[in-house]
Structures are given as structure tokens and as C-alpha cells.
């Protein structure tokens, strides 16, 4: 029996969520719950997702990894051409589909996000009450699509993940000469936010876990680096969006 889990990365990485689910599925026959072997197909568009699994889950899965390359510009253009029936005849200037495909291929190669840009371009043109969607509409639609994506990601974050993100955003805002901040700096700023929210702060280890999750979602970027001889290694965290965008989305 095979079970397909699409967008497995949407589950939080802990024993009560996907870790528990994967462990139970792969050991279902061994535990006597069913009488047949279970095969699991886990799908994620996060190429480093497997690294986020704990060792017990990896051992239980005994998995093989298949990596599919992102769509290129030609493939995205074909996908978008198939969606032009959403527009009336002649509503799209000839350069709109190629430009949308090129932008999406350059940024991410994600068909759904390319379709979103095209749809948003149509919305922009409709609001302006013009007869045709042009390249300028695509440019503005891309910015709107990125804002929509950030809004979706932030809306699903638990409160303390938002506090941690706000902590990093505050650091970025206060020090215009730096973009990277150490975990301990983020933690100190996070404690200040918890105090203002009358919430007990999580421990440093749990905050490290949540910072990894923010990086995994590509809201932030985390890079481990060496501190030089005798200083050990540490992790630096960078905000991937403008502070203004983060403040605006979290306040909504």
C-alpha cells in the first residue's frame, strides 16, 4: 500500500506532527496496526526538506530521494499559454506571457506562482479599466504576488515565531549597517518583545529550532559560520524581506 503526502513541509517538524505521522506509517505493520507494508511518497518543493527531519524519522523511512528541476522559461510559458482561456480574446499583449514566464523562471520556477502573477496582472488591468494587460501590469503583479506569498506564510506562523521574526526585523531596522545577526542577539531582542506582549519567552534551544523553521520557509536566511581560532562557530540570521513589508503583514 502506498500513501502520498503532498507538501509535507507544511507540517511543523516535531514528534507530534510529521515526525509522528511518518514514524507511524512506516512502522504500521511492525506495530501490528495493519497487515501490509506501507510505502510513503512525500512531496516537497523545499529541496533541503529531508535535512530538517530528525535521525529517527530518517532511519525509519529508509528513503530514496528524487529531485525534479524547477520549470524553465519554455515550460512555464507553455503552462501559462494553457491558462489564457481565463482572459477574453486579445486581452493579453503578446509580450505578457513570455515576460511572466521569464520572471518566474528567473526567480523560482514555480508554476503556481507564475499563474498567480498572470492572474494578478489581469486584476491590475481590470482595476485600471484598460482593455489589455501589458508588461507594466506584470511587473506590478509580481510585487503583489510576493506580498501575497509573504502574507500567507506569516498568517500561518504561531505567536512565538512571529515574535522571533519581529525581533530580527527590529534588529535590522535599528542597525542599518548590518544585515546579519547572531542567534544570541535575536534571542535578546525576542525576550524584549515577549516582555512587551506579557508572554513568557521560550528557551534558547527552542528559539533556535524556530529560527531554522523560518529559514526553511525562506522568510529568513541562516548561515553557520566559524568564529575564528578558539571562538567556535555560530549562526547568522538575515531577513529576506524588507522590514516595512514584515511589519505591515504581521500587523494585519
Amino acid at each position: 500500500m502506498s500513501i502520498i503526502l503532498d507538501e509535507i513541509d507544511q507540517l511543523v517538524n516535531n514528534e507530534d506532527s510529521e515526525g509522528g505521522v511518518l514514524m507511524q506509517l512506516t512502522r504500521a505493520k511492525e506495530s501490528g496496526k495493519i497487515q501490509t507494508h506501507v510505502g510513503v511518497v512525500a512531496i516537497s518543493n523545499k529541496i533541503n526538506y529531508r535535512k530538517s527531519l530528525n535521525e529517527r524519522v530518517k532511519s525509519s523511512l529508509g528513503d530514496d530521494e528524487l529531485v525534479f528541476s524547477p520549470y524553465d522559461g519554455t515550460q512555464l510559458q507553455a503552462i501559462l499559454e494553457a491558462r489564457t482561456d481565463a482572459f477574453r480574446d486579445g486581452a493579453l499583449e503578446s509580450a505578457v506571457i513570455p515576460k511572466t514566464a521569464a520572471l518566474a523562471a528567473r526567480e523560482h520556477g514555480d508554476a503556481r506562482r507564475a499563474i498567480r502573477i498572470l492572474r494578478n496582472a489581469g486584476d491590475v488591468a481590470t482595476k485600471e479599466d484598460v482593455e489589455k494587460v501589458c508588461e507594466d501590469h506584470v511587473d506590478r503583479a509580481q510585487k503583489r504576488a510576493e506580498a501575497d506569498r509573504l502574507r500567507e506564510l506569516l498568517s500561518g506562523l504561531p505567536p512565538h515565531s512571529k515574535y522571533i521574526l519581529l525581533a530580527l526585523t527590529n534588529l535590522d531596522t535599528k542597525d542599518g549597517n548590518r544585515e546579519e545577526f547572531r542567534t544570541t542577539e535575536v534571542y535578546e531582542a525576542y525576550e524584549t518583545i515577549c516582555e512587551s506582549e506579557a508572554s513568557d519567552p521560550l528557551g534558547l534551544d527552542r528559539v533556535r529550532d524556530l529560527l531554522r523553521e523560518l529559514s526553511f520557509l525562506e522568510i529568513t536566511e541562516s548561515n553557520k559560520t566559524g568564529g575564528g581560532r578558539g571562538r567556535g562557530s555560530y549562526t547568522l540570521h538575515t531577513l529576506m524581506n524588507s522590514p516595512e513589508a514584515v511589519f505591515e503583514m504581521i500587523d494585519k
Side-chain angles (χ1 to χ4, degrees):
M1 178 172 64
S2 295
I3 295 177
I4 299 174
L5 302 175
D6 194 9
E7 297 193 0
I8 186 71
D9 51 89
Q10 294 299 311
L11 296 175
V12 180
N13 185 22
N14 60 49
E15 289 299 314
D16 296 324
S17 53
E18 116 283 355
V21 170
L22 292 176
M23 290 285 285
Q24 290 180 41
L25 288 175
T26 55
R27 298 187 178 184
K29 183 177 181 183
E30 178 185 329
S31 64
K33 294 181 179 179
I34 60 174
Q35 301 304 312
T36 184
H37 291 289
V38 177
V40 177
V41 179
I43 303 172
S44 172
N45 61 1
K46 306 292 185 181
I47 195 164
N48 292 320
Y49 172 71
R50 190 178 179 280
K51 295 179 181 179
S52 70
L53 298 174
N54 64 49
E55 293 304 319
R56 290 178 62 241
V57 175
K58 291 179 184 178
S59 176
S60 182
L61 277 175
D63 63 313
D64 290 323
E65 185 178 50
L66 295 175
V67 178
F68 298 91
S69 300
Y71 291 114
D72 62 25
T74 301
Q75 292 169 323
L76 286 170
Q77 186 166 335
I79 292 169
L80 292 172
E81 291 285 358
R83 300 300 182 103
T84 55
D85 57 357
F87 298 85
R88 62 174 174 75
D89 290 343
L92 299 176
E93 288 190 353
S94 60
V96 165
I97 294 292
K99 182 180 182 69
T100 304
L103 284 173
R106 184 183 67 194
E107 296 293 332
H108 43 69
D110 187 322
R112 286 178 297 182
R113 290 164 70 180
I115 292 168
R116 176 181 290 178
I117 293 172
L118 182 62
R119 184 182 68 238
N120 286 347
D123 290 343
V124 172
T126 299
K127 288 179 180 178
E128 294 182 354
D129 196 24
V130 296
E131 294 185 356
K132 284 196 173 188
V133 181
C134 65
E135 291 183 71
D136 178 62
H137 296 137
V138 174
D139 289 328
R140 283 183 278 163
Q142 184 193 26
K143 295 179 181 178
R144 175 176 160 183
E146 290 304 315
D148 287 346
R149 176 178 176 272
L150 180 60
R151 184 181 298 107
E152 289 174 5
L153 289 172
L154 297 189
S155 66
L157 291 179
H160 282 273
S161 292
K162 291 182 179 180
Y163 297 162
I164 293 166
L165 180 60
L166 280 173
L168 179 58
T169 306
N170 285 339
L171 289 171
D172 186 279
T173 302
K174 291 176 181 177
D175 193 338
N177 296 320
R178 295 173 59 196
E179 295 182 347
E180 299 177 314
F181 300 90
R182 295 177 65 156
T183 304
T184 51
E185 295 177 283
V186 177
Y187 187 76
E188 289 174 359
Y190 157 75
E191 287 183 307
T192 300
I193 290 174
C194 285
E195 183 177 353
S196 68
E197 296 290 333
S199 178
D200 293 331
L202 302 175
L204 180 57
D205 287 343
R206 181 57 183 147
V207 169
R208 284 196 180 100
D209 290 340
L210 293 178
L211 280 166
R212 281 193 286 268
E213 290 175 12
L214 290 173
S215 178
F216 178 73
L217 291 170
E218 298 178 355
I219 298 173
T220 66
E221 183 178 81
S222 298
N223 293 301
K224 197 167 186 177
T225 184
R229 180 177 296 179
R231 298 180 61 187
S233 61
Y234 53 89
T235 303
L236 292 172
H237 308 279
T238 307
L239 196 65
M240 297 296 287
N241 296 273
S242 71
E244 294 77 17
V246 174
F247 287 137
E248 179 184 354
M249 298 306 172
I250 285 184
D251 287 340
K252 287 186 176 181

